[in-house]
Amino acid sequence: MKIHLPLVALFSLCLAGRVLPATSAPENRGAGFDALGHFTVQSEIPAGSRHAVLEITSDLSASASWRPMIATAIDGREAKLMFRLPPQASGKVFARVKTGISTTLPTVELSGPDLCYVTYADSISSGAKIAFLTSASTKMGEWSALPLAQWQANLIAWALQDPKVASAEVVPPADNVSVRFKDGTTATLMRAPRRYTGPAMQSAATAVAKAPHSPEPFPPAPAPPKIPTETGRNLPDSNNAVTAFSLETGFPNSAPTIGSWLATRSYAVRTFPSTTIDQILQWSASKPMAALFWQSHGVPYRKKDGSIGIALVTRQYATDALSDGPYAAMIKNDEINFAVDDEKKPFYAVTSEFVRKRMRFSPNSIVVVDACYGGGAELAAGFTAAGAGSYASWDWLSGPYSGTPCLKVFDRLLGMNQEPPVSVPKERAFSLMATRWWMSAYQFDYDPSPEYPNQGRPNAKLTWYDHPDKPGHILCPTIMRVLHENKDLKEPYTKFLIEGDFGDDPGESLREVLWGGQKMQVVRWEPYYGIAIRMPSSPPRGNIEVIMRKGGFTRRSNVVPITEWTVPFTYEVSGKGSLNAKMVMNVKFRADIRGSRGNPEMPVQYLGRLFSNMADCEGTVSASGTHSPDAATTFTWSGGSSLTSVDPNADETYAPKRIRNSGSINFGVGRIDQFQLSGDGDFTETEVRVHNDGSSTTIVRQLGIGFPGFYPAPEMPLNLGNGTLRGNTLEWSGSEGTVKLSWPSVTPQMMPDNNTPR
């Protein structure tokens, strides 16, 4: 005998459908689309059926061919059935459910645990569970003044009296009571959040100066990773960022602040002041998330296999319609469970299974969940399986100000300079490695909330987990410093080495290094060494910036001003009589003199910055005057020459009529060290001799003038306020005349200030 259910439904890929009424038992109980876009068909199956199959067709004629799509076994009891048909490519189709008594399932096109759900008549209805949890909330309020142990004992005894409840227990490490219903679903009876009337937060030092804490409730997280030799630490592949708040209004909400910071760094941010299951499903429906910050209650519960899981509580109240309809499959699969506090309305909570199946994260993404116990390995494994690059949450019960360390994490990753301690000069963005090290070193990774009564252990600690292949690294490229680099055998020219955090080379079409708005030639891109650019023959004036395109959008680094001095050095030789030769050398030297930080809050280090001339130094030689050593002889100086410069690492720099200069700018102490300058040119000397007979002889010579360099090197002081190079005059006397070198005071262009990030 076969029982046919003539359930005919119109299924449309444009997500619109209707159901025609059933004509006989079993009864159709509705069709529609669930939260994930699957077409659902629900029906009540009478006792005696041993299997059911969903079939579809696009033709309702007598000769129609029905395609068996999904099948499930039934044990003969009266049951409720829900099929979930994924979108079909054939446009509009009709669907029907057939049942039969054979225990052999027919061959179908689709299979999987999420496509069909059977709930037997003796199962617990969603309405009954919600009613139980509402009553539990009332009891929790009645007993709220009792000592914790008595509160727990009363709740457990009360819950176990209910025939729907299979078990009730305190699940360490929390104070809450975890309830398992006889159909396998779970709920958490949450202890009311504790409020404080004392100081807003304690110092980091106070937060950890506690008695030795009890053994960890979860296996400790791996130590922060060492710098690897391989690649794989990059920017996230996506610009999709979400910040969400699922707590009561009495808790500080850090999500809008972090969301605004991410938006300033070109992330497409959605901020949720409250959360529902449907919203969470949409967080990564169209694009994996690059960054997630979520404030929620984390509640331990006993899983079906006996282990402890952590659920994250939404702010969505549970209803019969949602629990029996679009969320039924997820509840049955332990993706969603329930939690209730003193509000007398249970909330939905999502588990690691939900995270694993319903959320997607891009490679190298960064996820911070501000939730009690969220740092347990079980929940972290769900986020890592969903692709999270690096995941952080609290290892224990956190307090109302646990969002403050989370603000510090994103402030340092994004270079916002808004979350204390704020450095002067401003800080650049840092890598996740540097940020985690800093927070650990200064104990900012402890919850700064005041202690709970009789706490007996340090405050909760922010615990990190990293994806084995694609860990979180940076949220924007960041330049630490720019260094002068001389030639080597493979690169026979002068370079700038841009040190910082950039990740792997995305390829020439996806990155640019700009200097003064001009695109530079990248000769080397090494993730753990830096970006080497060839210095142009005539370098531009302006900032250096690294631009990277990944995941379809652009991310920019901090800008680094390259400070530049243009100094006219005048070398003057005064000979006998009025003879005078002058060589003016207009010399440029440039460097990144900001100083640098390796980690957040580190004092700025001012190391020497080497420099040398390029091809943009120029000069002139001129000569004039006469000298008559006797009545018959006259020497005249005239003419001159032009001087040039070249990249000393690329061309022959010691050819005639060249300017050469080099040195080291040590801005931390306000001077230029080891400064060297040399140059040479020529001019014309004309000698006229008048003979006794009145005739004359004229001799024309080319004479050279050259400044050979300093010995010893002169003092070259810089003003620490505005970078002005102090002028000076050096003079030497000899038997043939005097020699003088002078230069005026020069204020540079592109000077950094306290708003220039280091």
Side-chain angles (χ1 to χ4, degrees):
M1 178 184 72
K2 290 187 176 180
I3 302 173
H4 295 273
L5 175 63
L7 174 68
V8 182
L10 181 64
F11 174 74
S12 170
L13 293 180
C14 62
L15 302 186
R18 65 184 178 88
V19 180
L20 300 180
T23 59
S24 63
E27 294 187 11
N28 163 38
R29 289 301 183 192
F33 292 88
D34 67 11
L36 299 176
H38 289 63
F39 184 67
T40 63
V41 177
Q42 301 179 58
S43 60
E44 292 187 359
I45 308 300
S49 299
R50 302 307 299 270
H51 78 261
V53 59
L54 178 72
E55 298 180 339
I56 65 172
T57 185
S58 58
D59 180 10
L60 287 181
S61 66
S63 61
S65 175
W66 290 84
R67 294 165 54 197
M69 301 299 293
I70 306 167
T72 186
I74 304 172
D75 68 4
R77 288 181 289 169
E78 182 181 342
K80 293 181 179 180
L81 182 69
M82 182 172 69
F83 285 106
R84 299 176 65 248
L85 183 67
Q88 302 298 298
S90 55
K92 298 179 179 179
V93 296
F94 295 90
R96 72 182 183 187
V97 174
K98 293 175 61 177
T99 59
I101 60 173
S102 173
T103 57
T104 302
L105 295 181
T107 302
V108 292
E109 296 184 22
L110 301 175
S111 63
D114 295 339
L115 300 181
C116 185
Y117 299 91
V118 179
T119 304
Y120 294 103
D122 55 358
S123 298
I124 304 169
S125 70
S126 296
K129 295 175 189 174
I130 292 172
F132 168 84
L133 293 172
T134 302
S135 297
S137 179
T138 300
K139 293 295 182 182
M140 292 159 63
E142 290 177 6
W143 297 325
S144 61
L146 295 175
L148 174 62
Q150 188 61 53
W151 180 87
Q152 294 169 334
N154 285 8
L155 274 179
I156 291 172
W158 174 84
L160 291 174
Q161 293 176 357
D162 194 297
K164 296 182 290 295
V165 174
S167 65
E169 61 180 315
V170 176
V171 176
D175 296 336
N176 305 321
V177 173
S178 179
V179 171
R180 177 168 295 281
F181 296 104
K182 289 182 177 178
D183 66 356
T185 56
T186 59
T188 301
L189 312 183
M190 297 189 294
R191 183 78 164 166
R194 293 171 179 151
R195 306 299 181 185
Y196 299 98
T197 58
M201 63 185 69
Q202 57 183 322
S203 69
T206 305
V208 295
K210 309 292 185 259
H213 58 81
S214 57
E216 298 292 338
F218 299 104
K226 297 179 180 178
I227 295 179
T229 56
E230 70 277 7
T231 58
R233 294 182 177 271
N234 297 305
L235 285 162
D237 285 354
S238 167
N239 71 333
N240 178 22
V242 171
T243 61
F245 184 75
S246 301
L247 301 174
E248 297 91 327
T249 54
F251 283 87
N253 184 355
S254 300
T257 299
I258 292 174
S260 67
W261 292 348
L262 286 161
T264 65
R265 298 295 185 253
S266 301
Y267 283 88
V269 183
R270 289 170 293 164
T271 297
F272 295 86
S274 184
T275 49
T276 66
I277 296 295
D278 286 352
Q279 288 172 338
I280 298 170
L281 290 170
Q282 292 304 313
W283 287 356
S284 54
S286 60
K287 185 188 295 186
M289 285 180 278
L292 170 64
F293 172 66
W294 185 7
Q295 291 179 280
S296 173
H297 288 300
V299 291
Y301 72 100
R302 185 75 66 184
K303 300 175 69 174
K304 292 179 181 178
D305 61 5
S307 63
I308 297 176
I310 300 295
L312 299 174
V313 183
T314 72
R315 294 306 294 172
Q316 182 180 14
Y317 294 124
T319 68
D320 297 359
L322 292 171
S323 299
D324 289 334
Y327 300 162
M330 291 182 281
I331 293 172
K332 184 177 180 65
N333 285 340
D334 196 31
E335 298 174 46
I336 298 175
N337 58 28
F338 304 92
V340 67
D341 56 17
D342 55 3
E343 287 196 28
K344 298 183 176 58
K345 292 182 179 180
F347 300 102
Y348 290 119
V350 300
T351 70
S352 63
E353 280 300 303
F354 179 97
V355 174
R356 186 177 286 106
K357 291 182 178 180
R358 311 299 180 186
M359 299 173 78
R360 295 185 301 144
F361 297 93
S362 73
N364 309 113
S365 53
I366 295 176
V367 178
V368 178
V369 174
D370 180 15
C372 299
Y373 311 107
E378 185 269 346
L379 183 59
F383 277 94
T384 302
S390 290
Y391 167 82
S393 190
W394 299 105
D395 72 336
W396 189 63
L397 184 67
S398 56
Y401 303 106
S402 58
T404 299
C406 304
L407 287 168
K408 286 178 169 54
V409 170
F410 283 95
D411 181 279
R412 267 58 189 185
L413 287 171
L414 297 166
M416 301 311 303
N417 293 281
Q418 294 186 30
E419 179 60 27
V422 176
S423 297
V424 178
K426 286 185 175 181
E427 295 184 358
R428 62 185 175 91
F430 292 95
S431 70
L432 182 58
M433 268 186 183
T435 300
R436 285 166 60 176
W437 178 90
W438 166 72
M439 293 192 68
S440 177
Y442 291 90
Q443 301 177 341
F444 290 134
D445 55 352
Y446 282 86
D447 177 11
S449 302
E451 281 192 0
Y452 293 109
N454 304 313
Q455 181 166 307
R457 60 150 282 169
N459 274 6
K461 182 176 174 62
L462 203 59
T463 305
W464 286 90
Y465 295 82
D466 298 291
H467 192 281
D469 302 316
K470 302 290 184 180
H473 182 44
I474 52 176
L475 290 178
C476 53
T478 176
I479 301 174
M480 179 173 69
R481 59 191 172 202
V482 179
L483 304 175
H484 180 99
E485 193 176 79
N486 284 322
K487 68 179 179 180
D488 56 32
L489 292 177
K490 293 182 179 180
E491 299 163 0
Y493 39 76
T494 300
K495 303 172 288 291
F496 264 164
L497 175 65
I498 305 171
E499 292 187 326
D501 294 291
F502 312 101
D504 299 336
D505 186 356
E508 186 174 356
S509 64
L510 298 177
R511 41 86 164 156
E512 289 180 294
V513 177
L514 301 184
W515 184 358
Q518 298 181 30
K519 187 174 181 179
M520 297 292 104
Q521 177 189 350
V522 175
V523 297
R524 209 181 332 114
W525 184 301
E526 298 171 341
Y528 302 107
Y529 184 62
I531 304 170
I533 61 171
R534 180 169 183 173
M535 193 176 295
S537 294
S538 296
R541 179 178 297 152
N543 298 312
I544 284 183
E545 179 182 19
V546 176
I547 300 173
M548 300 176 67
R549 297 174 180 86
K550 194 173 185 186
F553 75 109
T554 299
R555 278 164 273 203
R556 295 176 177 269
S557 73
N558 52 309
V559 296
V560 174
I562 302 301
T563 306
E564 179 182 298
W565 291 259
T566 302
V567 186
F569 288 92
T570 301
Y571 179 62
E572 193 170 0
V573 176
S574 297
K576 295 180 179 181
S578 62
L579 295 176
N580 179 272
K582 181 185 299 184
M583 180 168 60
V584 178
M585 297 171 283
N586 294 300
V587 172
K588 293 180 183 289
F589 40 90
R590 55 182 64 84
D592 168 18
I593 65 167
R594 301 167 303 133
S596 60
R597 290 186 180 96
N599 295 298
E601 216 181 343
M602 175 179 173
V604 177
Q605 290 184 321
Y606 292 93
L607 305 179
R609 294 291 191 260
L610 298 176
F611 67 89
S612 65
N613 61 275
M614 292 300 291
D616 56 348
C617 301
E618 49 83 23
T620 58
V621 171
S622 60
S624 63
T626 62
H627 169 55
S628 298
D630 53 55
T633 306
T634 302
F635 292 91
T636 302
W637 287 359
S638 63
S641 58
S642 297
L643 309 182
T644 60
S645 63
V646 294
D647 177 356
N649 286 296
D651 297 293
E652 175 50 61
T653 188
Y654 291 100
K657 302 178 183 178
R658 291 279 171 83
I659 299 172
R660 299 162 291 277
N661 81 98
S662 64
S664 175
I665 301 173
N666 192 337
F667 193 66
V669 295
R671 67 171 182 260
I672 297 178
D673 294 326
Q674 301 172 343
F675 181 67
Q676 291 297 321
L677 172 68
S678 62
D680 61 273
D682 57 30
F683 59 91
T684 300
E685 179 182 75
T686 303
E687 179 185 352
V688 177
R689 293 183 180 178
V690 178
H691 303 293
N692 293 333
D693 61 2
S695 63
S696 64
T697 301
T698 301
I699 303 172
V700 179
R701 307 181 184 91
Q702 289 299 113
L703 297 185
I705 180 174
F707 178 67
F710 299 103
Y711 187 81
E715 181 184 3
M716 301 286 286
L718 296 171
N719 184 298
L720 291 175
N722 59 15
T724 296
L725 171 66
R726 192 171 72 197
N728 202 354
T729 298
L730 305 176
E731 191 168 345
W732 301 269
S733 299
S735 59
E736 299 296 320
T738 60
V739 177
K740 180 172 65 175
L741 179 70
S742 62
W743 63 92
S745 294
V746 174
T747 299
Q749 302 206 13
M750 303 303 298
M751 266 292 292
D753 58 27
N754 284 341
N755 289 317
T756 306
R758 272 73 162 174

